[in-house]
Amino acid sequence: MSNKITIEPQENLSGEIYPPGDKSISHRSVMIGSVSEDITQVENFLTGEDCIATVKAFRKMGVQIDENEPGILTIHGVGINGLHEPDDVLDVGNSGTTMRLISGILAGQPFYSVLTGDDSLRSRPMGRIAKPLRMMGAQVYCRKGEKAPLTIIGGNLNPVEYKTPVASAQIKSCILLAGIYAKGETTVTEPAESRDHTERMLRSFGAEVISSGLNRMIKGRPKLSGHKVIVPGDISSAAYFITAAVLCPGSEVVVRNVGINPTRDGILVALKMMGADISMENQREESGEPVADIRACSSSLQGCDFNGDLIVRMLDEIPLVAVAATQAQGQTKISDAIELRVKETDRISATVSELRNLGAKIAELEDGMVIEGDIELAGGLCKSHGDHRMAMSMTIAGLIADSETTIENINCVDTSFPGFWDMLSSLYR
Ligand code: S3P
């Protein structure tokens, strides 16, 4: 496939789709399944490059992971002490979740391991996980500026009580996974609640994980027992279609089997605050996670202010919310989102420059952006900045522009959503 795509403006999107499996939950199923006893079967596993990087890393540590049918994994768990030293560097590509979460598990291993990734990942901050892991007793070495490659020599961890300055599921999960290996109770406290998939999954595998306010405590050395995990559809992937339906005139789209975990549903809250016609049907629970079908129809939107704890619940969707804000009546202000600057790219500066390129009136803040609404976007040329979420967000901008939009460097979308454009065009009428 060529590494760019041209999007024509669309109206009347309609149809029903199933988004791919949740990226965060897919990663965790492999990590926790690998260090559990017995077999873990994973259904609806996301076979995007990021989650495949996690599978490859555990295979290199001696875990047998079979994919006999697409999206169905059988993980032959080796127990918490059964991993082997990898005989080569673990290259996890673009995946920050793999690098940060796996570091917690590696910190508990009495062997030497080296983690690296692509140019983007090697520029992202790793001190945020290296520091607590060192406090627990692991040797963690980084490049200058606490960047990857990382070298970890672990084993014999002490429990800690760690207060992280950043609300981040990757930091929290890293510490909880290291806490499996510590003798005693490890506690992590964050300033706001980040996604809680690790806590939910560890509990379902038999660990004692206690949540109290913003504290999460894990009791070390649990017996983890493998079982079946059914991964819900990824709300972060569903978000593109929901927003497209809201923005394109005459549209009605049903996105089925979407994970609606309250630590992840900020995009639905934000769009509803703006006045979007979104409803949930068939709410149920699957493998300890809430799931629903979501119906989204074209709507008139109002500008809003988004800040505080809601930002953590919709962090990966903010570039998309900015696209929606260009079509709202009035101004939208997004603040408290400085974490966007250390994602796969600096998503504040990338969103501002790409939307401005299409004619948006958008100002950059240190921790967010201010977007003027009721703007007719012009088609044009957009860059993905090598970031899957930028490429998909600009695709949705292309649907509502007044002429065609070409997005360059789009192969990065395979990290989280292989088949994105085919699913989108299945809604064209
Ligand atoms: C993720 C957590 C988030 C999110 C990332 C996936 C996870 O990062 O941006 O795409 O699976 O834990 P932070 O929690 O570090 O902000």
Side-chain angles (χ1 to χ4, degrees), residues 104 107-109 131-139 153-162 174-188 218-221:
Q109 309 306 317
K131 184 176 169 201
L133 294 178
R134 286 178 190 132
M135 285 169 62
M136 294 178 83
Q139 296 176 60
I153 304 169
N156 272 333
L157 296 185
N158 312 308
V160 280
E161 283 182 22
Y162 188 71
C174 171
I175 297 167
L176 291 175
L177 292 170
I180 292 175
Y181 294 90
K183 195 170 171 220
E185 296 177 353
T186 295
T187 304
V188 52
I218 181 164
K219 216 175 228 174
R221 311 203 177 155

Side-chain angles (χ1 to χ4, degrees), residues 23-24 28 97 100-101 128 167-171 173 194-195 315-316 339 343-344 389:
K23 181 156 80 70
S24 295
R28 287 155 172 82
T97 306
R100 296 206 178 101
L101 269 61
R128 49 180 58 196
S168 155
Q170 295 182 352
I171 302 175
S173 302
S194 64
R195 62 190 70 187
L315 201 60
D316 290 343
E339 272 294 295
K343 293 293 173 187
E344 285 82 331
R389 303 222 181 272

Side-chain angles (χ1 to χ4, degrees), residues 134-378:
R134 286 178 190 132
M135 285 169 62
M136 294 178 83
Q139 296 176 60
V140 183
Y141 304 95
C142 307
R143 216 154 47 81
K144 197 168 122 212
E146 301 279 47
K147 304 280 167 69
L150 307 179
T151 297
I152 301 179
I153 304 169
N156 272 333
L157 296 185
N158 312 308
V160 280
E161 283 182 22
Y162 188 71
K163 208 168 166 181
T164 161
V166 188
S168 155
Q170 295 182 352
I171 302 175
K172 173 178 65 178
S173 302
C174 171
I175 297 167
L176 291 175
L177 292 170
I180 292 175
Y181 294 90
K183 195 170 171 220
E185 296 177 353
T186 295
T187 304
V188 52
T189 306
E190 17 176 30
E193 188 180 10
S194 64
R195 62 190 70 187
D196 67 352
H197 306 301
T198 304
E199 297 92 301
R200 286 175 188 251
M201 199 178 285
L202 278 170
R203 277 186 207 118
S204 79
F205 277 74
E208 192 175 334
V209 180
I210 295 175
S211 303
S212 148
L214 294 170
N215 302 331
R216 300 287 176 273
M217 185 282 284
I218 181 164
K219 216 175 228 174
R221 311 203 177 155
K223 178 168 156 42
L224 300 175
S225 307
H227 63 94
K228 187 166 172 170
V229 176
I230 302 174
V231 180
D234 197 325
I235 190 167
S236 296
S237 298
Y240 300 101
F241 307 112
I242 294 168
T243 309
V246 167
L247 296 180
C248 293
S251 300
E252 178 167 358
V253 169
V254 179
V255 190
R256 299 225 179 261
N257 193 39
V258 183
I260 50 160
N261 181 313
T263 61
R264 292 282 300 282
D265 67 354
I267 179 68
L268 304 178
V269 176
L271 289 173
K272 280 189 187 162
M273 280 168 70
M274 296 176 88
D277 179 359
I278 297 174
S279 53
M280 276 200 269
E281 298 162 10
N282 198 10
Q283 291 195 39
R284 56 205 184 269
E285 191 155 306
E286 199 96 88
S287 294
E289 292 277 350
V291 176
D293 300 334
I294 297 175
R295 182 180 300 272
C297 302
S298 4
S299 320
S300 309
L301 301 181
Q302 290 292 326
C304 278
D305 284 357
F306 299 118
N307 49 47
D309 293 357
L310 181 59
I311 295 293
V312 189
R313 288 162 69 192
M314 63 178 203
L315 201 60
D316 290 343
E317 289 69 67
I318 287 175
L320 187 58
V321 171
V323 172
T326 65
Q327 306 305 298
Q329 292 296 319
Q331 195 182 67
T332 294
K333 183 175 177 196
I334 297 168
S335 48
D336 298 330
I338 199 162
E339 272 294 295
L340 289 184
R341 294 209 180 265
V342 291
K343 293 293 173 187
E344 285 82 331
T345 188
D346 176 341
R347 287 186 182 152
I348 295 180
S349 103
T351 301
V352 169
S353 69
E354 296 313 314
L355 279 178
R356 200 175 269 161
N357 224 8
L358 298 185
K361 287 194 185 140
I362 178 165
E364 183 165 346
L365 306 175
E366 180 55 21
D367 67 344
M369 55 197 96
V370 179
I371 309 121
E372 302 300 332
D374 207 11
I375 297 288
E376 185 145 349
L377 296 179

